[in-house]
Amino acid sequence: MHSAKLGDLDVGRIGLGAMGMSHGYTGSGSDDAESIRTIHRAIDLGVTLIDTAEVYGPYVNEELVGKALQGRRDQVVLATKFGLISHTGRAAGSADSSPQSIRTAVEGSLKRLGTDHIDLYYQHRVDPDTPIEDTVGTLAELVKEGKIRHIGLSEAWIPTIRRAHAVHPIAALQSEYSLWTRDQDEVLPVLRELGIGLVAYSPLGRGFLTGALRTPADVEKLDDSDFRKTHPRFTGENFQRNLAIADEVQNVADQVGATAGQVALAWLLAKGNDVVPIPGTKRVSRVEENTAADAVELTAEQIATLDALPVAEGGHHTDEQMKMIER
């Protein structure tokens, strides 16, 4: 696999998001053995960036990833996140990136992951009640102590990114970025000015861009715990309108001789070697398909066609979740 740069970190240019193995999607947590095989297969195929978070489960996804990496820890860049679970008694559902909460969070993550250091430690969402300077200052102390190697932010916007980077170099910003969530185009020039990489989560539009869900009945069949059942882009008229985007991705895929998912990933890879998508899956077959996107080459005309796709209808999170995303 080709390589990519996240600040000073070298990674394979397609990573693996582990959340869905334990949390959020139909079938999550139903087959840990297959999930572990998927992580192992990803590493064999050149994936180095493995992404999790303490809130996934909560906690059980970190435990799963830690189990999968026994004996293979030195082959990966291990990333996890803090800040959506308060360890200081704040109300459930509120962000907490206070120094005390970070200190508690990192010790828990290290234990669950079975490691003495975290390669990339992200603030999961910006905490409006803690100055970003205090948060990054604490993280910088953890770097000096050897408990983390690099610092990341997630769903932060330009002013916060600049303030954070002024305290300590930020290696990566993780935000949703895909053919149907493209507001990171506005952030990329700033990231490149500062030498920060972009990690793109949900690069396949939570499966929508792959054509996996074609009718409202397909959504209805999902488990009640699957958050796509209430996602604005998967419901009502938005669903029908967004099918046109998936259809156009499939048209390009037919031209290329690839799958729609591979085309969606190849479009992101064409943005530069500082953009690293982390498609999530819990199946070996899917990780094989996703990593093969590294070899898919789109023509300038095909990229222009994809660039011209309309913006997806509906927010990329619920209204409540969007309150925690800086824009």
Side-chain angles (χ1 to χ4, degrees):
M1 183 182 293
H2 291 88
S3 63
K5 293 283 288 187
L6 301 174
D8 293 332
L9 268 174
D10 291 305
V11 297
R13 70 173 185 164
I14 298 175
L16 175 64
M19 183 190 80
M21 297 176 179
S22 309
H23 173 82
Y25 290 95
T26 297
S28 296
S30 62
D31 192 346
D32 285 354
E34 175 67 3
S35 293
I36 289 172
R37 285 192 292 271
T38 299
I39 293 172
H40 290 170
R41 183 62 177 143
I43 296 171
D44 292 340
L45 292 167
V47 171
T48 57
L49 181 61
I50 308 293
D51 183 272
T52 181
E54 67 170 357
V55 78
Y56 298 159
Y59 306 127
V60 294
N61 193 243
E62 286 187 325
E63 293 170 351
L64 175 67
V65 170
K67 183 178 179 181
L69 294 182
Q70 290 179 11
R72 307 193 72 167
R73 172 66 182 90
D74 61 352
Q75 296 177 259
V76 304
V77 172
L78 182 55
T80 192
K81 311 177 201 73
F82 68 91
L84 286 183
I85 294 176
S86 175
H87 299 284
T88 64
R90 291 190 190 178
S94 62
D96 189 349
S97 289
S98 62
Q100 181 183 346
S101 194
I102 294 171
R103 288 278 177 183
T104 302
V106 73
E107 296 301 334
S109 290
L110 288 168
K111 182 177 180 180
R112 288 185 292 272
L113 292 165
T115 186
D116 63 356
H117 71 278
I118 295 162
D119 296 303
L120 179 56
Y121 200 40
Y122 291 103
Q123 179 191 43
H124 208 150
R125 292 291 185 270
V126 175
D127 174 7
D129 296 322
T130 304
I132 193 66
E133 290 82 0
D134 293 351
T135 295
V136 177
T138 302
L139 295 171
E141 293 172 1
L142 293 177
V143 172
K144 291 181 180 178
E145 294 165 19
K147 293 182 178 181
I148 68 175
R149 298 282 174 84
H150 300 268
I151 298 172
L153 303 175
S154 181
E155 292 292 11
W157 203 242
I158 294 168
T160 298
I161 295 167
R162 288 192 180 279
R163 287 169 56 198
H165 193 72
V167 176
H168 186 281
I170 302 299
L173 172 72
Q174 182 177 144
S175 292
E176 184 166 351
Y177 189 36
S178 71
L179 279 167
W180 76 346
T181 304
R182 281 175 270 172
D183 49 6
Q184 295 307 312
D185 287 335
E186 187 176 342
V187 179
L188 267 171
V190 175
L191 298 183
R192 285 170 175 158
E193 172 196 333
L194 300 175
I196 301 171
L198 176 60
V199 174
Y201 76 81
S202 295
L204 302 177
R206 297 175 175 82
F208 198 102
L209 296 172
T210 70
L213 301 170
R214 294 292 304 174
T215 69
D218 293 334
V219 178
E220 188 60 33
K221 292 176 185 177
L222 299 174
D223 293 347
D224 288 341
S225 60
D226 193 313
F227 66 90
R228 289 174 294 182
K229 293 193 85 166
T230 57
H231 192 287
R233 295 183 176 178
F234 287 82
T235 54
E237 293 182 356
N238 290 344
F239 182 92
Q240 297 297 337
R241 292 169 178 164
N242 290 332
L243 284 175
I245 300 174
D247 289 343
E248 191 58 50
V249 176
Q250 184 61 58
N251 288 339
V252 173
D254 291 340
Q255 298 171 20
V256 176
T259 67
Q262 288 169 340
V263 166
L265 293 171
W267 177 83
L268 281 168
L269 297 177
K271 294 292 182 179
N273 72 344
D274 54 354
V275 177
V276 180
I278 50 168
T281 184
K282 54 184 180 294
R283 299 187 182 92
V284 169
S285 60
R286 287 294 184 215
V287 85
E288 291 174 341
E289 175 186 337
N290 292 340
T291 54
D294 182 49
V296 174
E297 296 287 343
L298 301 176
T299 66
E301 182 179 1
Q302 289 163 342
I303 292 173
T305 296
L306 296 170
D307 285 343
L309 288 174
V311 175
E313 297 283 350
H316 61 99
H317 288 280
T318 65
D319 290 344
E320 189 64 27
Q321 291 167 334
M322 286 300 293
K323 294 176 182 178
M324 301 183 75
I325 293 177
E326 286 198 328
R327 287 294 183 271

